[in-house]
Amino acid sequence: MHNNLIYLTDGRGKVDASKLSDTEWARLVVDNRDSVRRQLVKCAWCWDEDHVTHWMKTYSRNGRVISHQPGESADHPYQALESDEHKAYCDRVERVGVAEGYEAQRESRADDGRTRSDVLLIGARHLSYEMQHSPFKPGYGARERTRRSLAAKRDAVAWHTDSSIIADGARVAMLRSNQARRPQIENPRYEIRILGGYRKVLVWDCTSREGHRCPLGRYAGCGATHVNSQPSAISLDDFIRQAPAGLVLPVWPLDRLGFWTTTKDYQIWVDHFGGSSRSGGSGAAAQRRQSEQQGDGHSRRTSAKDYAPVVPQQRDGRSQVVLDIPDRLINLERSAMEEHAKLTGLYGEAYDAQWKAWRRAAEVLHAAVTEYAAHGDVGMSRHEVEQAVKRAVRHPEPES
């Protein structure tokens, strides 16, 4: 059903028409036969967004139909009615983001008019926060909405739910937290823990001494270097503080096996598997992946890609000129790596102080990359520019 959110002027207020009983729906259709004269059903979307009144037609045709009058606004996609808990979560995300210094926009819409974020947090990156309490509707699921949001110049989409059923069926990388009621969500001292969707990347040499099970089933280990992930802990508030700064990044955002992780672990994962490749599994496919690995644990394909010069492609498939990375971006990346390296061996207050210094350096780098990628003559997306800068610093081409 489209146009499901309506205002009923008989005193019921804003309702979700898809949740009405069959008797209530049949009665509504009868009462609203002459919709313009009756003035009973008003489009809630048009009223909430633009304060424009459109009287809606209601009828049944292979299901419930609520449509605009001819010549009025186009039909709207299905939208769930916001619950008290949903609003409380969005309020909390906005409050935490603003306190951290980010710009927060509620119910933010992109230029296409179709892409909406529950809360858009703008820092070094544009993070679209989406809270999901109810099951997704066909044709308006998380994957379709994520794809549109990424195309609308959102750097990342952070889906969040407190339902394991919704998380398992989302088909995208989704954060799952402990269930909380409205008073707990509104309490800033109550910690909402992320139980799923946030992971730590593990790297180990496959020997019997490491204590990890060999993916190939060899009891004494196969001797290769393996990369995998395991669940890790973070609070929702800390996630909101870090994600717009680019300190946590999504792996496979359009896949239900995707997850969020730190920038360090993200780089390990990308170096090993590539930005869009899939890993894991068992049987012949897993054995083929492991057999293709080199001694350093990188696949041959990924290693060749990492050490190859950056040659962006045009839409017609022809190569452009190799991107000349500005020295400023190179220096900022080196500065961020140096600040991160200083974390080694620190504890307590010294670690916290150095972590803030590294974070400031990372924010400056991400802001500079975003600004550079916005230039019309670059010809690369922000992600491609960022990867090119990291490759230029971490895998420099040998001097001739």
Side-chain angles (χ1 to χ4, degrees):
M1 168 186 282
H2 298 298
N3 305 298
N4 63 299
L5 294 188
I6 55 177
Y7 279 108
L8 298 179
T9 59
D10 58 3
R12 283 180 282 179
K14 187 175 182 178
V15 301
D16 186 343
S18 65
K19 303 295 178 62
L20 295 176
S21 66
D22 292 340
T23 302
E24 291 174 322
W25 171 256
R27 185 63 184 176
L28 181 65
V29 171
V30 172
D31 292 343
N32 193 49
R33 288 198 183 279
D34 190 350
S35 55
V36 176
R37 181 184 63 82
R38 183 67 178 85
Q39 296 186 352
L40 172 63
V41 181
K42 179 167 63 174
C43 179
W45 192 308
C46 292
W47 178 252
D48 288 342
E49 293 295 324
D50 305 315
H51 291 283
V52 174
T53 297
H54 285 153
W55 301 112
M56 308 295 286
K57 297 186 295 182
T58 54
Y59 54 95
S60 296
R61 180 180 298 166
N62 296 325
R64 303 178 184 184
V65 180
I66 301 177
S67 65
H68 282 269
Q69 306 292 338
E72 289 183 349
S73 174
D75 287 336
H76 310 295
Y78 180 92
Q79 182 182 13
L81 187 62
E82 187 178 72
S83 65
D84 291 339
E85 286 77 12
H86 184 283
K87 184 178 183 300
Y89 272 116
C90 293
D91 289 342
R92 180 165 183 149
V93 168
E94 180 181 12
R95 182 175 66 250
V96 172
V98 170
E100 194 67 16
Y102 305 131
E103 178 185 349
Q105 300 176 6
R106 293 290 291 272
E107 296 292 328
S108 172
R109 290 189 177 279
D111 295 336
D112 58 9
R114 301 174 59 200
T115 305
R116 176 185 60 83
S117 303
D118 287 340
V119 184
L120 180 65
L121 295 172
I122 302 176
R125 297 167 64 86
H126 286 56
L127 177 75
S128 175
Y129 171 82
E130 302 284 357
M131 180 63 200
Q132 190 69 22
H133 263 104
S134 58
F136 293 98
K137 296 295 180 179
Y140 198 61
R143 173 168 287 188
E144 294 80 4
R145 292 165 61 183
T146 300
R147 199 183 304 277
R148 288 204 299 264
S149 188
L150 294 176
K153 299 182 180 179
R154 309 293 203 244
D155 289 305
V157 181
W159 284 98
H160 172 217
T161 185
D162 56 10
S163 168
S164 59
I165 296 176
I166 294 176
D168 292 340
R171 299 177 63 196
V172 296
M174 176 168 281
L175 300 169
R176 180 177 61 84
S177 68
N178 57 299
Q179 290 189 344
R181 297 191 178 275
R182 181 179 177 182
Q184 296 170 318
I185 302 170
E186 293 177 341
N187 183 359
R189 296 187 178 181
Y190 181 82
E191 188 176 66
I192 300 174
R193 303 294 295 175
I194 299 300
L195 306 177
Y198 184 81
R199 303 178 71 87
K200 177 182 180 180
V201 174
L202 301 177
V203 182
W204 77 93
D205 293 328
C206 191
T207 65
S208 58
R209 297 179 180 179
E210 290 293 328
H212 295 281
R213 178 176 296 178
C214 176
L216 299 182
R218 298 182 181 178
Y219 181 78
C222 64
T225 300
H226 298 301
V227 175
N228 209 328
S229 65
Q230 70 177 18
S232 187
I234 192 173
S235 68
L236 176 63
D237 291 359
D238 284 343
F239 176 86
I240 295 303
R241 294 185 184 105
Q242 297 179 34
L247 301 180
V248 292
L249 298 171
V251 176
W252 304 335
L254 287 170
D255 194 287
R256 73 178 184 87
L257 298 178
F259 57 92
W260 289 78
T261 189
T262 64
T263 52
K264 178 182 178 181
D265 287 356
Y266 174 84
Q267 193 59 48
I268 294 174
W269 192 273
V270 170
D271 287 345
H272 190 83
F273 293 114
S276 59
S277 62
R278 293 285 303 275
S279 67
S282 59
Q287 294 179 13
R288 283 196 302 270
R289 281 190 290 271
Q290 296 293 340
S291 66
E292 291 177 356
Q293 289 183 343
Q294 302 183 124
D296 59 359
H298 293 229
S299 68
R300 296 188 181 97
R301 181 186 305 174
T302 300
S303 296
K305 178 181 178 182
D306 286 345
Y307 286 91
V310 181
V311 184
Q313 300 290 321
Q314 295 179 350
R315 292 183 178 180
D316 59 2
R318 295 177 299 176
S319 299
Q320 297 178 355
V321 179
V322 176
L323 179 63
D324 186 13
I325 305 296
D327 292 338
R328 176 169 176 265
L329 297 183
I330 298 294
N331 294 333
L332 289 176
E333 169 67 12
R334 287 174 177 166
S335 176
M337 292 179 61
E338 291 172 0
E339 295 296 336
H340 186 271
K342 294 178 183 178
L343 290 170
T344 304
L346 298 180
Y347 300 93
E349 295 182 357
Y351 181 90
D352 294 339
Q354 183 56 39
W355 186 87
K356 292 180 179 179
W358 168 58
R359 174 175 175 171
R360 286 193 296 270
E363 289 177 347
V364 172
L365 169 64
H366 287 298
V369 170
T370 301
E371 178 184 1
Y372 180 74
H375 296 169
D377 57 348
V378 173
M380 298 178 71
S381 67
R382 185 198 177 286
H383 174 74
E384 291 171 331
V385 173
E386 181 177 351
Q387 293 303 309
V389 172
K390 291 181 178 180
R391 189 177 297 119
V393 175
R394 304 178 189 189
H395 305 291
E397 296 182 10
E399 297 182 359
S400 57

Coordinates of all heavy atoms in Angstrom, one line a residue, residues 229-277:
S229 N 36.4 -12.5 11.5 CA 35.9 -11.5 12.4 C 35.1 -12.2 13.5 O 34.6 -13.3 13.3 CB 35.0 -10.5 11.7 OG 33.8 -11.1 11.2
Q230 N 35.0 -11.5 14.6 CA 34.2 -12.0 15.7 C 33.4 -10.8 16.4 O 33.8 -9.6 16.2 CB 35.1 -12.6 16.8 CG 36.0 -11.7 17.5 CD 36.8 -12.4 18.6 OE1 36.9 -13.6 18.6 NE2 37.3 -11.6 19.6
P231 N 32.3 -11.1 17.0 CA 31.5 -10.0 17.6 C 32.3 -9.2 18.6 O 33.2 -9.7 19.3 CB 30.4 -10.7 18.3 CG 30.3 -12.0 17.6 CD 31.6 -12.4 17.2
S232 N 32.1 -7.9 18.6 CA 32.8 -7.0 19.5 C 31.7 -6.0 20.1 O 30.6 -6.1 19.7 CB 33.9 -6.2 18.8 OG 34.6 -5.4 19.7
A233 N 32.1 -5.3 21.1 CA 31.2 -4.5 21.9 C 31.4 -3.0 21.6 O 32.5 -2.5 21.5 CB 31.3 -4.8 23.4
I234 N 30.3 -2.3 21.6 CA 30.3 -0.8 21.5 C 28.9 -0.3 22.0 O 27.9 -1.1 21.8 CB 30.7 -0.3 20.1 CG1 31.0 1.2 20.1 CG2 29.6 -0.6 19.1 CD1 31.5 1.8 18.8
S235 N 28.8 0.8 22.5 CA 27.5 1.4 22.9 C 27.0 2.2 21.7 O 27.8 2.6 20.9 CB 27.6 2.2 24.1 OG 28.4 3.4 23.9
L236 N 25.7 2.3 21.7 CA 25.1 3.1 20.6 C 25.6 4.6 20.6 O 25.9 5.1 19.6 CB 23.5 3.1 20.7 CG 22.8 4.0 19.7 CD1 23.0 3.5 18.3 CD2 21.3 4.0 20.1
D237 N 25.8 5.1 21.8 CA 26.2 6.5 21.9 C 27.7 6.6 21.4 O 28.0 7.6 20.6 CB 26.2 7.0 23.4 CG 24.8 7.2 23.9 OD1 23.8 6.9 23.1 OD2 24.6 7.5 25.1
D238 N 28.5 5.7 21.7 CA 29.9 5.8 21.2 C 29.9 5.6 19.7 O 30.7 6.2 19.0 CB 30.8 4.7 21.9 CG 31.2 5.1 23.3 OD1 31.1 6.3 23.6 OD2 31.6 4.2 24.0
F239 N 29.0 4.7 19.2 CA 29.0 4.5 17.7 C 28.6 5.8 17.0 O 29.2 6.2 16.0 CB 28.0 3.4 17.4 CG 27.7 3.3 15.9 CD1 28.6 2.4 15.2 CD2 26.7 3.9 15.2 CE1 28.4 2.3 13.8 CE2 26.5 3.8 13.9 CZ 27.4 3.0 13.2
I240 N 27.6 6.5 17.6 CA 27.2 7.8 17.0 C 28.3 8.9 17.1 O 28.4 9.7 16.2 CB 25.9 8.3 17.7 CG1 24.7 7.3 17.4 CG2 25.5 9.7 17.3 CD1 24.4 7.1 16.0
R241 N 29.1 8.8 18.2 CA 30.2 9.8 18.3 C 31.3 9.5 17.2 O 31.9 10.4 16.8 CB 30.8 9.7 19.7 CG 29.8 10.2 20.8 CD 30.5 10.2 22.1 NE 29.6 10.5 23.2 CZ 29.1 9.7 24.1 NH1 29.4 8.4 24.0 NH2 28.3 10.1 25.0
Q242 N 31.5 8.2 16.9 CA 32.6 7.9 16.0 C 32.3 7.8 14.5 O 33.1 8.2 13.7 CB 33.2 6.5 16.5 CG 33.7 6.5 17.9 CD 34.3 5.2 18.3 OE1 34.8 4.4 17.5 NE2 34.1 4.9 19.6
A243 N 31.1 7.3 14.2 CA 30.7 7.1 12.8 C 30.8 8.3 11.9 O 31.4 8.2 10.8 CB 29.4 6.4 12.7
P244 N 30.2 9.5 12.3 CA 30.3 10.6 11.4 C 31.8 11.1 11.2 O 32.1 11.9 10.3 CB 29.5 11.7 12.1 CG 28.5 10.9 12.9 CD 29.3 9.7 13.4
A245 N 32.7 10.8 12.2 CA 34.1 11.2 12.0 C 34.9 10.2 11.2 O 36.1 10.4 11.0 CB 34.7 11.3 13.4
G246 N 34.2 9.1 10.7 CA 34.9 8.1 9.9 C 35.8 7.2 10.7 O 36.7 6.5 10.2
L247 N 35.5 7.1 12.0 CA 36.4 6.2 12.9 C 35.8 4.8 12.9 O 36.5 3.9 13.4 CB 36.4 6.8 14.3 CG 37.0 8.2 14.4 CD1 37.1 8.7 15.8 CD2 38.4 8.2 13.8
V248 N 34.6 4.5 12.5 CA 34.1 3.2 12.3 C 33.5 3.2 10.9 O 32.8 4.2 10.5 CB 33.0 2.8 13.3 CG1 33.7 2.6 14.7 CG2 31.9 3.8 13.4
L249 N 33.6 2.1 10.2 CA 33.2 2.0 8.8 C 32.4 0.7 8.5 O 32.7 -0.3 9.2 CB 34.4 2.1 7.8 CG 35.3 3.4 7.9 CD1 36.5 3.2 7.1 CD2 34.5 4.5 7.4
P250 N 31.5 0.7 7.5 CA 30.8 -0.5 7.2 C 31.5 -1.4 6.2 O 32.1 -0.9 5.3 CB 29.5 0.0 6.6 CG 29.9 1.3 6.0 CD 31.0 1.9 6.8
V251 N 31.5 -2.7 6.5 CA 32.0 -3.7 5.5 C 30.8 -4.4 4.9 O 29.9 -4.8 5.6 CB 32.8 -4.7 6.3 CG1 33.3 -5.8 5.3 CG2 34.0 -4.1 6.9
W252 N 30.7 -4.4 3.6 CA 29.5 -5.0 2.9 C 28.2 -4.3 3.3 O 27.3 -5.0 3.8 CB 29.4 -6.5 3.1 CG 30.6 -7.3 2.7 CD1 31.6 -7.0 1.8 CD2 30.9 -8.6 3.2 NE1 32.5 -8.0 1.8 CE2 32.1 -9.0 2.6 CE3 30.3 -9.4 4.1 CZ2 32.7 -10.2 2.9 CZ3 30.9 -10.6 4.4 CH2 32.1 -11.0 3.8
P253 N 28.1 -3.0 3.2 CA 26.8 -2.4 3.7 C 25.6 -2.9 3.0 O 24.5 -2.8 3.6 CB 27.1 -0.9 3.4 CG 28.1 -0.9 2.3 CD 29.0 -2.1 2.5
L254 N 25.6 -3.5 1.8 CA 24.4 -3.9 1.1 C 24.3 -5.4 1.3 O 23.6 -6.1 0.5 CB 24.5 -3.6 -0.3 CG 24.3 -2.1 -0.6 CD1 24.6 -1.8 -2.1 CD2 22.8 -1.7 -0.3
D255 N 24.8 -6.0 2.3 CA 24.7 -7.5 2.5 C 24.4 -7.7 4.0 O 24.9 -7.1 4.9 CB 26.0 -8.2 2.2 CG 25.9 -9.7 2.0 OD1 25.7 -10.3 3.1 OD2 25.9 -10.2 0.9
R256 N 23.5 -8.7 4.2 CA 23.1 -8.9 5.6 C 24.2 -9.5 6.5 O 24.1 -9.5 7.7 CB 21.9 -9.9 5.6 CG 22.2 -11.3 5.3 CD 20.9 -12.2 5.4 NE 21.2 -13.6 5.1 CZ 21.6 -14.4 6.1 NH1 21.8 -14.0 7.3 NH2 21.8 -15.7 5.8
L257 N 25.3 -10.0 5.8 CA 26.4 -10.5 6.5 C 27.4 -9.4 6.8 O 28.5 -9.6 7.3 CB 27.1 -11.6 5.8 CG 26.3 -12.9 5.6 CD1 27.1 -13.9 4.8 CD2 25.9 -13.5 6.9
G258 N 27.1 -8.2 6.4 CA 28.0 -7.0 6.6 C 28.0 -6.6 8.0 O 27.2 -7.1 8.8
F259 N 29.0 -5.8 8.4 CA 29.2 -5.4 9.8 C 29.9 -4.1 9.8 O 30.5 -3.6 8.8 CB 29.9 -6.4 10.6 CG 31.2 -6.8 10.0 CD1 32.4 -6.2 10.5 CD2 31.4 -7.8 9.1 CE1 33.6 -6.5 10.0 CE2 32.6 -8.2 8.6 CZ 33.8 -7.5 9.0
W260 N 30.0 -3.4 11.0 CA 30.7 -2.2 11.2 C 32.0 -2.6 12.0 O 32.0 -3.5 12.8 CB 29.9 -1.2 12.0 CG 28.8 -0.6 11.2 CD1 27.6 -1.1 10.8 CD2 28.8 0.7 10.6 NE1 26.9 -0.3 10.1 CE2 27.6 0.9 9.9 CE3 29.8 1.8 10.5 CZ2 27.3 2.1 9.2 CZ3 29.4 2.9 9.8 CH2 28.2 3.1 9.2
T261 N 33.1 -1.9 11.7 CA 34.3 -2.1 12.5 C 35.1 -0.9 12.5 O 34.8 0.1 11.9 CB 35.1 -3.3 11.8 OG1 36.2 -3.6 12.6 CG2 35.6 -2.9 10.4
T262 N 36.3 -0.9 13.2 CA 37.1 0.3 13.3 C 37.8 0.5 12.0 O 37.9 -0.4 11.1 CB 38.2 0.1 14.4 OG1 39.0 -1.0 14.1 CG2 37.5 -0.2 15.8
T263 N 38.4 1.7 11.8 CA 39.1 2.0 10.6 C 40.3 1.1 10.4 O 40.6 0.7 9.3 CB 39.6 3.5 10.6 OG1 40.3 3.7 11.8 CG2 38.4 4.4 10.5
K264 N 41.0 0.8 11.5 CA 42.2 -0.1 11.4 C 41.7 -1.5 10.9 O 42.3 -2.1 10.0 CB 42.9 -0.2 12.8 CG 44.0 -1.2 12.8 CD 44.7 -1.3 14.2 CE 45.8 -2.3 14.2 NZ 46.4 -2.4 15.6
D265 N 40.7 -2.1 11.5 CA 40.2 -3.4 11.1 C 39.6 -3.4 9.7 O 39.7 -4.4 9.0 CB 39.2 -3.9 12.1 CG 39.8 -4.3 13.5 OD1 41.1 -4.3 13.5 OD2 39.1 -4.7 14.4
Y266 N 39.0 -2.3 9.4 CA 38.4 -2.1 8.0 C 39.5 -2.2 7.0 O 39.4 -2.9 6.0 CB 37.7 -0.8 7.9 CG 37.2 -0.5 6.5 CD1 36.0 -1.0 6.1 CD2 37.9 0.3 5.6 CE1 35.5 -0.8 4.8 CE2 37.5 0.6 4.4 CZ 36.3 0.1 3.9 OH 35.8 0.3 2.7
Q267 N 40.6 -1.6 7.3 CA 41.7 -1.6 6.3 C 42.3 -3.0 6.2 O 42.7 -3.4 5.1 CB 42.8 -0.6 6.7 CG 43.8 -0.3 5.6 CD 43.2 0.2 4.4 OE1 42.4 1.2 4.4 NE2 43.5 -0.3 3.2
I268 N 42.4 -3.7 7.3 CA 42.9 -5.1 7.3 C 42.0 -5.9 6.4 O 42.5 -6.7 5.6 CB 43.0 -5.6 8.7 CG1 44.1 -4.9 9.5 CG2 43.3 -7.1 8.7 CD1 44.1 -5.3 11.0
W269 N 40.7 -5.8 6.6 CA 39.7 -6.5 5.8 C 39.8 -6.2 4.3 O 39.8 -7.1 3.5 CB 38.3 -6.3 6.4 CG 37.3 -7.2 5.9 CD1 36.6 -7.1 4.7 CD2 36.9 -8.4 6.5 NE1 35.7 -8.2 4.6 CE2 35.9 -9.0 5.7 CE3 37.2 -9.1 7.7 CZ2 35.2 -10.2 6.0 CZ3 36.6 -10.3 8.0 CH2 35.6 -10.8 7.1
V270 N 39.9 -5.0 4.0 CA 39.9 -4.6 2.6 C 41.2 -5.0 2.0 O 41.3 -5.5 0.8 CB 39.8 -3.0 2.5 CG1 40.1 -2.6 1.0 CG2 38.4 -2.6 2.9
D271 N 42.4 -4.9 2.7 CA 43.6 -5.3 2.1 C 43.6 -6.8 1.9 O 44.3 -7.3 0.9 CB 44.8 -5.0 3.1 CG 45.1 -3.5 3.1 OD1 44.7 -2.8 2.2 OD2 45.8 -3.1 4.1
H272 N 42.9 -7.6 2.7 CA 42.9 -9.0 2.5 C 41.9 -9.5 1.5 O 42.2 -10.4 0.6 CB 42.6 -9.7 3.9 CG 42.8 -11.2 3.9 ND1 44.1 -11.8 4.1 CD2 41.9 -12.2 3.7 CE1 43.9 -13.1 4.0 NE2 42.7 -13.4 3.8
F273 N 40.6 -9.0 1.6 CA 39.6 -9.5 0.7 C 39.2 -8.6 -0.4 O 38.5 -9.0 -1.3 CB 38.3 -9.8 1.6 CG 38.4 -10.9 2.6 CD1 38.4 -10.6 4.0 CD2 38.6 -12.2 2.2 CE1 38.5 -11.6 4.9 CE2 38.8 -13.2 3.1 CZ 38.7 -12.9 4.5
G274 N 39.6 -7.3 -0.4 CA 39.1 -6.4 -1.4 C 37.9 -5.7 -0.9 O 37.2 -6.2 0.0
G275 N 37.6 -4.6 -1.5 CA 36.5 -3.7 -1.0 C 35.1 -4.4 -1.1 O 34.2 -4.1 -0.3
S276 N 34.8 -5.1 -2.2 CA 33.5 -5.6 -2.4 C 33.4 -7.2 -2.5 O 32.4 -7.7 -2.9 CB 33.0 -5.0 -3.7 OG 33.8 -5.4 -4.8
S277 N 34.5 -7.9 -2.2 CA 34.5 -9.3 -2.3 C 33.8 -9.9 -1.2 O 33.6 -9.3 -0.1 CB 36.0 -9.8 -2.5 OG 36.7 -9.5 -1.3

